[in-house]
Amino acid sequence: MSFDFLAPDAATQSDRFAPVARSPMERSAQAAGAQFELRDGWNVAVAYVSAEQDAEACRRIGGWADVSHLGKLELQAPPQELEALVAQSAGGATLELGRAIRAAGAWWCPLTRSRALVICEPAVLPALREQITEAAPTAAPSASVVEVTTIFAAMTLAGPVAREVFARFSAIDLRPQITPVGALRPGSIGRQPATLICEAPDRFLFLFGWAIGEYMWSIVSDAGEHLGARPIGVDALAPIRDPADAEEASTHA
């Protein structure tokens, strides 16, 4: 059975209808003063004041961004098949429980030995989904590739106060020695099941159920504002590079 119909990019545009995907936190972002742009079929909160001022506020204190537009795929297969599928689709990447691997423009997140979540920019999603689907028959005949972009909403919380903000509504230990860059931490956030990735120093991506988007925004907003943080647009977030790309860029610098 194909689940391609669940993909936001599968919506068909016509002369009378232009589909637009929307985050469950859009109304909260709009009320906070977000400026929106249509990108890859999504209505995205790109800035609140300006990208530069948002980024500066995040560097000085902290901020949170709605990144629910990120593409998400769930892979399920017997452990050996799952490892083979990821290796073939992500340039030889090896899964390790408790760690998110950055490769092929995506985060590869093993939730169990037989289940993994792939997270990427929406522009990358169609080609990556096709690549995984084409690799599955030989690398993992028993695998299922399920589109879950609109099952999981997502936020990025970053800045010097990010850990303290999280501590107000989650018991996940985010100290650098416990949760270093690349750490993957399924757990309770705001008393809701969630999955967290440490994307960079003082920067955390976390996913949770689509239906609780507004609730999650409210608890992050309440905790963040008390510590001087504020909402920021996605343009304030530095792109996350694959390690191979970052190494090549530093070599040519």
mmCIF file of all heavy atoms in Angstrom, residues 172-212:
data_model
loop_
_atom_site.group_PDB
_atom_site.id
_atom_site.type_symbol
_atom_site.label_atom_id
_atom_site.label_comp_id
_atom_site.label_asym_id
_atom_site.label_seq_id
_atom_site.Cartn_x
_atom_site.Cartn_y
_atom_site.Cartn_z
ATOM 1 N N ILE A 172 14.029 16.095 30.805
ATOM 2 C CA ILE A 172 15.133 15.599 29.984
ATOM 3 C C ILE A 172 16.397 16.377 30.337
ATOM 4 O O ILE A 172 16.393 17.617 30.359
ATOM 5 C CB ILE A 172 14.818 15.731 28.486
ATOM 6 C CG1 ILE A 172 13.607 14.869 28.118
ATOM 7 C CG2 ILE A 172 16.020 15.316 27.636
ATOM 8 C CD1 ILE A 172 13.154 15.014 26.675
ATOM 9 N N ASP A 173 17.476 15.683 30.617
ATOM 10 C CA ASP A 173 18.735 16.302 31.016
ATOM 11 C C ASP A 173 19.466 16.801 29.769
ATOM 12 O O ASP A 173 19.965 16.011 28.969
ATOM 13 C CB ASP A 173 19.604 15.284 31.763
ATOM 14 C CG ASP A 173 20.815 15.923 32.426
ATOM 15 O OD1 ASP A 173 21.210 17.038 32.019
ATOM 16 O OD2 ASP A 173 21.388 15.300 33.346
ATOM 17 N N LEU A 174 19.535 18.108 29.600
ATOM 18 C CA LEU A 174 20.131 18.692 28.403
ATOM 19 C C LEU A 174 21.520 19.257 28.651
ATOM 20 O O LEU A 174 22.050 19.993 27.808
ATOM 21 C CB LEU A 174 19.216 19.784 27.838
ATOM 22 C CG LEU A 174 17.830 19.325 27.373
ATOM 23 C CD1 LEU A 174 17.064 20.483 26.761
ATOM 24 C CD2 LEU A 174 17.944 18.183 26.374
ATOM 25 N N ARG A 175 22.141 18.894 29.751
ATOM 26 C CA ARG A 175 23.521 19.335 29.959
ATOM 27 C C ARG A 175 24.394 18.790 28.822
ATOM 28 O O ARG A 175 24.205 17.652 28.379
ATOM 29 C CB ARG A 175 24.036 18.858 31.306
ATOM 30 C CG ARG A 175 23.415 19.577 32.498
ATOM 31 C CD ARG A 175 23.911 18.975 33.797
ATOM 32 N NE ARG A 175 23.488 17.583 33.936
ATOM 33 C CZ ARG A 175 23.920 16.768 34.903
ATOM 34 N NH1 ARG A 175 24.798 17.205 35.802
ATOM 35 N NH2 ARG A 175 23.473 15.515 34.957
ATOM 36 N N PRO A 176 25.349 19.603 28.329
ATOM 37 C CA PRO A 176 26.151 19.190 27.169
ATOM 38 C C PRO A 176 26.832 17.845 27.338
ATOM 39 O O PRO A 176 26.962 17.087 26.373
ATOM 40 C CB PRO A 176 27.173 20.324 27.023
ATOM 41 C CG PRO A 176 26.505 21.508 27.635
ATOM 42 C CD PRO A 176 25.684 20.978 28.766
ATOM 43 N N GLN A 177 27.263 17.519 28.548
ATOM 44 C CA GLN A 177 27.951 16.240 28.753
ATOM 45 C C GLN A 177 26.993 15.059 28.702
ATOM 46 O O GLN A 177 27.407 13.919 28.484
ATOM 47 C CB GLN A 177 28.723 16.236 30.080
ATOM 48 C CG GLN A 177 27.880 16.367 31.326
ATOM 49 C CD GLN A 177 27.655 17.803 31.754
ATOM 50 O OE1 GLN A 177 27.581 18.711 30.925
ATOM 51 N NE2 GLN A 177 27.568 18.011 33.067
ATOM 52 N N ILE A 178 25.696 15.326 28.886
ATOM 53 C CA ILE A 178 24.681 14.271 28.848
ATOM 54 C C ILE A 178 23.987 14.240 27.480
ATOM 55 O O ILE A 178 23.691 13.164 26.944
ATOM 56 C CB ILE A 178 23.631 14.484 29.959
ATOM 57 C CG1 ILE A 178 24.310 14.521 31.340
ATOM 58 C CG2 ILE A 178 22.570 13.391 29.907
ATOM 59 C CD1 ILE A 178 25.025 13.228 31.700
ATOM 60 N N THR A 179 23.730 15.403 26.933
ATOM 61 C CA THR A 179 23.055 15.522 25.641
ATOM 62 C C THR A 179 23.915 16.368 24.703
ATOM 63 O O THR A 179 23.663 17.565 24.515
ATOM 64 C CB THR A 179 21.652 16.156 25.821
ATOM 65 O OG1 THR A 179 20.915 15.384 26.777
ATOM 66 C CG2 THR A 179 20.878 16.175 24.519
ATOM 67 N N PRO A 180 24.959 15.777 24.125
ATOM 68 C CA PRO A 180 25.840 16.520 23.218
ATOM 69 C C PRO A 180 25.187 16.722 21.850
ATOM 70 O O PRO A 180 24.081 16.212 21.590
ATOM 71 C CB PRO A 180 27.057 15.607 23.116
ATOM 72 C CG PRO A 180 26.496 14.233 23.296
ATOM 73 C CD PRO A 180 25.381 14.380 24.291
ATOM 74 N N VAL A 181 25.845 17.442 20.986
ATOM 75 C CA VAL A 181 25.345 17.641 19.627
ATOM 76 C C VAL A 181 25.157 16.279 18.957
ATOM 77 O O VAL A 181 26.028 15.421 19.008
ATOM 78 C CB VAL A 181 26.304 18.512 18.810
ATOM 79 C CG1 VAL A 181 25.846 18.584 17.354
ATOM 80 C CG2 VAL A 181 26.391 19.913 19.407
ATOM 81 N N GLY A 182 23.978 16.080 18.370
ATOM 82 C CA GLY A 182 23.652 14.810 17.731
ATOM 83 C C GLY A 182 22.904 13.850 18.626
ATOM 84 O O GLY A 182 22.421 12.809 18.158
ATOM 85 N N ALA A 183 22.755 14.184 19.900
ATOM 86 C CA ALA A 183 22.029 13.296 20.812
ATOM 87 C C ALA A 183 20.546 13.258 20.452
ATOM 88 O O ALA A 183 19.951 14.273 20.077
ATOM 89 C CB ALA A 183 22.201 13.755 22.252
ATOM 90 N N LEU A 184 19.958 12.085 20.578
ATOM 91 C CA LEU A 184 18.541 11.869 20.302
ATOM 92 C C LEU A 184 17.880 11.426 21.601
ATOM 93 O O LEU A 184 18.293 10.433 22.203
ATOM 94 C CB LEU A 184 18.383 10.791 19.222
ATOM 95 C CG LEU A 184 16.961 10.349 18.868
ATOM 96 C CD1 LEU A 184 16.194 11.488 18.210
ATOM 97 C CD2 LEU A 184 17.010 9.129 17.952
ATOM 98 N N ARG A 185 16.857 12.166 22.036
ATOM 99 C CA ARG A 185 16.252 11.893 23.327
ATOM 100 C C ARG A 185 14.724 11.812 23.230
ATOM 101 O O ARG A 185 14.024 12.818 23.332
ATOM 102 C CB ARG A 185 16.637 13.001 24.329
ATOM 103 C CG ARG A 185 18.120 13.091 24.620
ATOM 104 C CD ARG A 185 18.607 11.909 25.431
ATOM 105 N NE ARG A 185 20.016 12.010 25.760
ATOM 106 C CZ ARG A 185 21.002 11.484 25.040
ATOM 107 N NH1 ARG A 185 20.706 10.802 23.944
ATOM 108 N NH2 ARG A 185 22.257 11.619 25.401
ATOM 109 N N PRO A 186 14.165 10.623 23.036
ATOM 110 C CA PRO A 186 12.708 10.472 23.190
ATOM 111 C C PRO A 186 12.350 10.648 24.664
ATOM 112 O O PRO A 186 13.084 10.201 25.548
ATOM 113 C CB PRO A 186 12.444 9.040 22.716
ATOM 114 C CG PRO A 186 13.680 8.618 21.978
ATOM 115 C CD PRO A 186 14.804 9.362 22.631
ATOM 116 N N GLY A 187 11.241 11.295 24.937
ATOM 117 C CA GLY A 187 10.864 11.492 26.335
ATOM 118 C C GLY A 187 9.639 12.367 26.462
ATOM 119 O O GLY A 187 8.908 12.604 25.495
ATOM 120 N N SER A 188 9.415 12.864 27.667
ATOM 121 C CA SER A 188 8.257 13.695 27.961
ATOM 122 C C SER A 188 8.645 15.168 27.899
ATOM 123 O O SER A 188 9.578 15.602 28.578
ATOM 124 C CB SER A 188 7.704 13.357 29.356
ATOM 125 O OG SER A 188 6.663 14.243 29.700
ATOM 126 N N ILE A 189 7.934 15.926 27.090
ATOM 127 C CA ILE A 189 8.107 17.376 27.015
ATOM 128 C C ILE A 189 6.729 17.995 27.192
ATOM 129 O O ILE A 189 5.808 17.702 26.433
ATOM 130 C CB ILE A 189 8.732 17.808 25.674
ATOM 131 C CG1 ILE A 189 10.143 17.228 25.534
ATOM 132 C CG2 ILE A 189 8.770 19.330 25.561
ATOM 133 C CD1 ILE A 189 10.832 17.574 24.220
ATOM 134 N N GLY A 190 6.590 18.809 28.215
ATOM 135 C CA GLY A 190 5.277 19.374 28.511
ATOM 136 C C GLY A 190 4.255 18.307 28.832
ATOM 137 O O GLY A 190 3.074 18.450 28.520
ATOM 138 N N ARG A 191 4.716 17.205 29.450
ATOM 139 C CA ARG A 191 3.862 16.063 29.806
ATOM 140 C C ARG A 191 3.257 15.392 28.572
ATOM 141 O O ARG A 191 2.199 14.774 28.648
ATOM 142 C CB ARG A 191 2.763 16.494 30.781
ATOM 143 C CG ARG A 191 3.301 17.010 32.111
ATOM 144 C CD ARG A 191 2.189 17.320 33.079
ATOM 145 N NE ARG A 191 2.713 17.793 34.357
ATOM 146 C CZ ARG A 191 1.966 18.143 35.400
ATOM 147 N NH1 ARG A 191 0.634 18.067 35.307
ATOM 148 N NH2 ARG A 191 2.509 18.559 36.520
ATOM 149 N N GLN A 192 3.934 15.532 27.451
ATOM 150 C CA GLN A 192 3.492 14.907 26.219
ATOM 151 C C GLN A 192 4.647 14.102 25.621
ATOM 152 O O GLN A 192 5.812 14.496 25.748
ATOM 153 C CB GLN A 192 3.041 15.965 25.200
ATOM 154 C CG GLN A 192 1.898 16.845 25.666
ATOM 155 C CD GLN A 192 0.607 16.069 25.837
ATOM 156 O OE1 GLN A 192 0.319 15.143 25.089
ATOM 157 N NE2 GLN A 192 -0.193 16.456 26.837
ATOM 158 N N PRO A 193 4.363 12.970 24.959
ATOM 159 C CA PRO A 193 5.450 12.227 24.318
ATOM 160 C C PRO A 193 6.069 13.053 23.194
ATOM 161 O O PRO A 193 5.362 13.660 22.393
ATOM 162 C CB PRO A 193 4.748 10.973 23.781
ATOM 163 C CG PRO A 193 3.303 11.345 23.690
ATOM 164 C CD PRO A 193 3.054 12.332 24.780
ATOM 165 N N ALA A 194 7.384 13.075 23.163
ATOM 166 C CA ALA A 194 8.084 13.901 22.192
ATOM 167 C C ALA A 194 9.455 13.295 21.890
ATOM 168 O O ALA A 194 9.916 12.389 22.593
ATOM 169 C CB ALA A 194 8.239 15.335 22.709
ATOM 170 N N THR A 195 10.088 13.793 20.865
ATOM 171 C CA THR A 195 11.433 13.369 20.493
ATOM 172 C C THR A 195 12.287 14.608 20.278
ATOM 173 O O THR A 195 11.874 15.536 19.565
ATOM 174 C CB THR A 195 11.409 12.527 19.199
ATOM 175 O OG1 THR A 195 10.586 11.375 19.404
ATOM 176 C CG2 THR A 195 12.809 12.078 18.812
ATOM 177 N N LEU A 196 13.458 14.632 20.897
ATOM 178 C CA LEU A 196 14.329 15.806 20.856
ATOM 179 C C LEU A 196 15.676 15.464 20.242
ATOM 180 O O LEU A 196 16.235 14.399 20.496
ATOM 181 C CB LEU A 196 14.500 16.361 22.268
ATOM 182 C CG LEU A 196 15.428 17.559 22.446
ATOM 183 C CD1 LEU A 196 14.873 18.509 23.510
ATOM 184 C CD2 LEU A 196 16.838 17.119 22.850
ATOM 185 N N ILE A 197 16.197 16.376 19.430
ATOM 186 C CA ILE A 197 17.535 16.259 18.847
ATOM 187 C C ILE A 197 18.321 17.500 19.218
ATOM 188 O O ILE A 197 17.835 18.632 19.052
ATOM 189 C CB ILE A 197 17.480 16.154 17.312
ATOM 190 C CG1 ILE A 197 16.640 14.965 16.857
ATOM 191 C CG2 ILE A 197 18.894 16.052 16.728
ATOM 192 C CD1 ILE A 197 16.332 14.990 15.370
ATOM 193 N N CYS A 198 19.537 17.318 19.707
ATOM 194 C CA CYS A 198 20.443 18.447 19.904
ATOM 195 C C CYS A 198 21.122 18.701 18.556
ATOM 196 O O CYS A 198 22.008 17.961 18.145
ATOM 197 C CB CYS A 198 21.471 18.131 20.979
ATOM 198 S SG CYS A 198 22.627 19.505 21.301
ATOM 199 N N GLU A 199 20.685 19.732 17.840
ATOM 200 C CA GLU A 199 21.177 19.996 16.489
ATOM 201 C C GLU A 199 22.527 20.705 16.472
ATOM 202 O O GLU A 199 23.304 20.550 15.521
ATOM 203 C CB GLU A 199 20.178 20.856 15.724
ATOM 204 C CG GLU A 199 18.867 20.174 15.406
ATOM 205 C CD GLU A 199 18.059 20.985 14.423
ATOM 206 O OE1 GLU A 199 17.699 22.133 14.754
ATOM 207 O OE2 GLU A 199 17.789 20.475 13.330
ATOM 208 N N ALA A 200 22.787 21.500 17.485
ATOM 209 C CA ALA A 200 24.009 22.304 17.569
ATOM 210 C C ALA A 200 24.115 22.774 19.014
ATOM 211 O O ALA A 200 23.172 22.607 19.797
ATOM 212 C CB ALA A 200 23.932 23.498 16.615
ATOM 213 N N PRO A 201 25.255 23.321 19.418
ATOM 214 C CA PRO A 201 25.344 23.847 20.779
ATOM 215 C C PRO A 201 24.214 24.853 21.045
ATOM 216 O O PRO A 201 23.987 25.771 20.249
ATOM 217 C CB PRO A 201 26.720 24.527 20.806
ATOM 218 C CG PRO A 201 27.520 23.774 19.787
ATOM 219 C CD PRO A 201 26.546 23.443 18.695
ATOM 220 N N ASP A 202 23.485 24.658 22.132
ATOM 221 C CA ASP A 202 22.386 25.545 22.524
ATOM 222 C C ASP A 202 21.259 25.582 21.498
ATOM 223 O O ASP A 202 20.541 26.583 21.392
ATOM 224 C CB ASP A 202 22.887 26.975 22.764
ATOM 225 C CG ASP A 202 23.856 27.076 23.917
ATOM 226 O OD1 ASP A 202 23.789 26.226 24.822
ATOM 227 O OD2 ASP A 202 24.698 27.996 23.914
ATOM 228 N N ARG A 203 21.064 24.494 20.751
ATOM 229 C CA ARG A 203 19.981 24.464 19.764
ATOM 230 C C ARG A 203 19.334 23.084 19.757
ATOM 231 O O ARG A 203 20.019 22.070 19.567
ATOM 232 C CB ARG A 203 20.510 24.809 18.380
ATOM 233 C CG ARG A 203 19.469 24.658 17.266
ATOM 234 C CD ARG A 203 19.932 25.279 15.988
ATOM 235 N NE ARG A 203 19.147 24.850 14.844
ATOM 236 C CZ ARG A 203 19.242 25.376 13.625
ATOM 237 N NH1 ARG A 203 20.098 26.367 13.401
ATOM 238 N NH2 ARG A 203 18.505 24.920 12.635
ATOM 239 N N PHE A 204 18.008 23.059 19.947
ATOM 240 C CA PHE A 204 17.282 21.793 20.095
ATOM 241 C C PHE A 204 16.046 21.773 19.199
ATOM 242 O O PHE A 204 15.233 22.697 19.222
ATOM 243 C CB PHE A 204 16.869 21.595 21.556
ATOM 244 C CG PHE A 204 18.023 21.668 22.512
ATOM 245 C CD1 PHE A 204 18.374 22.871 23.103
ATOM 246 C CD2 PHE A 204 18.782 20.541 22.786
ATOM 247 C CE1 PHE A 204 19.454 22.955 23.973
ATOM 248 C CE2 PHE A 204 19.868 20.613 23.648
ATOM 249 C CZ PHE A 204 20.204 21.820 24.235
ATOM 250 N N LEU A 205 15.934 20.707 18.434
ATOM 251 C CA LEU A 205 14.750 20.451 17.620
ATOM 252 C C LEU A 205 13.910 19.404 18.339
ATOM 253 O O LEU A 205 14.445 18.377 18.769
ATOM 254 C CB LEU A 205 15.160 19.926 16.244
ATOM 255 C CG LEU A 205 14.061 19.322 15.362
ATOM 256 C CD1 LEU A 205 13.060 20.382 14.921
ATOM 257 C CD2 LEU A 205 14.682 18.628 14.144
ATOM 258 N N PHE A 206 12.604 19.656 18.502
ATOM 259 C CA PHE A 206 11.776 18.636 19.138
ATOM 260 C C PHE A 206 10.451 18.493 18.410
ATOM 261 O O PHE A 206 9.877 19.454 17.900
ATOM 262 C CB PHE A 206 11.579 18.898 20.635
ATOM 263 C CG PHE A 206 10.971 20.228 21.013
ATOM 264 C CD1 PHE A 206 9.682 20.298 21.533
ATOM 265 C CD2 PHE A 206 11.695 21.408 20.888
ATOM 266 C CE1 PHE A 206 9.132 21.511 21.903
ATOM 267 C CE2 PHE A 206 11.144 22.626 21.262
ATOM 268 C CZ PHE A 206 9.858 22.674 21.760
ATOM 269 N N LEU A 207 10.006 17.230 18.323
ATOM 270 C CA LEU A 207 8.800 16.857 17.608
ATOM 271 C C LEU A 207 7.765 16.324 18.583
ATOM 272 O O LEU A 207 8.115 15.660 19.567
ATOM 273 C CB LEU A 207 9.104 15.787 16.559
ATOM 274 C CG LEU A 207 9.799 16.211 15.267
ATOM 275 C CD1 LEU A 207 11.259 16.567 15.534
ATOM 276 C CD2 LEU A 207 9.740 15.103 14.226
ATOM 277 N N PHE A 208 6.496 16.577 18.275
ATOM 278 C CA PHE A 208 5.393 16.170 19.140
ATOM 279 C C PHE A 208 4.143 16.043 18.282
ATOM 280 O O PHE A 208 4.149 16.385 17.087
ATOM 281 C CB PHE A 208 5.188 17.202 20.253
ATOM 282 C CG PHE A 208 5.281 18.634 19.778
ATOM 283 C CD1 PHE A 208 4.162 19.290 19.298
ATOM 284 C CD2 PHE A 208 6.503 19.290 19.786
ATOM 285 C CE1 PHE A 208 4.255 20.594 18.830
ATOM 286 C CE2 PHE A 208 6.610 20.598 19.310
ATOM 287 C CZ PHE A 208 5.477 21.259 18.844
ATOM 288 N N GLY A 209 3.070 15.569 18.867
ATOM 289 C CA GLY A 209 1.852 15.338 18.114
ATOM 290 C C GLY A 209 1.275 16.600 17.490
ATOM 291 O O GLY A 209 1.244 17.662 18.125
ATOM 292 N N TRP A 210 0.830 16.484 16.257
ATOM 293 C CA TRP A 210 0.274 17.621 15.516
ATOM 294 C C TRP A 210 -0.880 18.284 16.281
ATOM 295 O O TRP A 210 -0.999 19.505 16.314
ATOM 296 C CB TRP A 210 -0.213 17.129 14.156
ATOM 297 C CG TRP A 210 -0.487 18.188 13.144
ATOM 298 C CD1 TRP A 210 -1.688 18.783 12.873
ATOM 299 C CD2 TRP A 210 0.462 18.781 12.242
ATOM 300 N NE1 TRP A 210 -1.551 19.692 11.863
ATOM 301 C CE2 TRP A 210 -0.244 19.717 11.447
ATOM 302 C CE3 TRP A 210 1.827 18.590 12.020
ATOM 303 C CZ2 TRP A 210 0.377 20.470 10.451
ATOM 304 C CZ3 TRP A 210 2.438 19.341 11.031
ATOM 305 C CH2 TRP A 210 1.736 20.265 10.265
ATOM 306 N N ALA A 211 -1.711 17.472 16.922
ATOM 307 C CA ALA A 211 -2.916 17.979 17.576
ATOM 308 C C ALA A 211 -2.626 18.847 18.792
ATOM 309 O O ALA A 211 -3.491 19.607 19.234
ATOM 310 C CB ALA A 211 -3.832 16.824 17.981
ATOM 311 N N ILE A 212 -1.418 18.758 19.347
ATOM 312 C CA ILE A 212 -1.114 19.534 20.554
ATOM 313 C C ILE A 212 -0.209 20.722 20.239
ATOM 314 O O ILE A 212 0.442 21.271 21.132
ATOM 315 C CB ILE A 212 -0.469 18.652 21.647
ATOM 316 C CG1 ILE A 212 0.879 18.056 21.166
ATOM 317 C CG2 ILE A 212 -1.424 17.558 22.081
ATOM 318 C CD1 ILE A 212 1.700 17.440 22.277
#
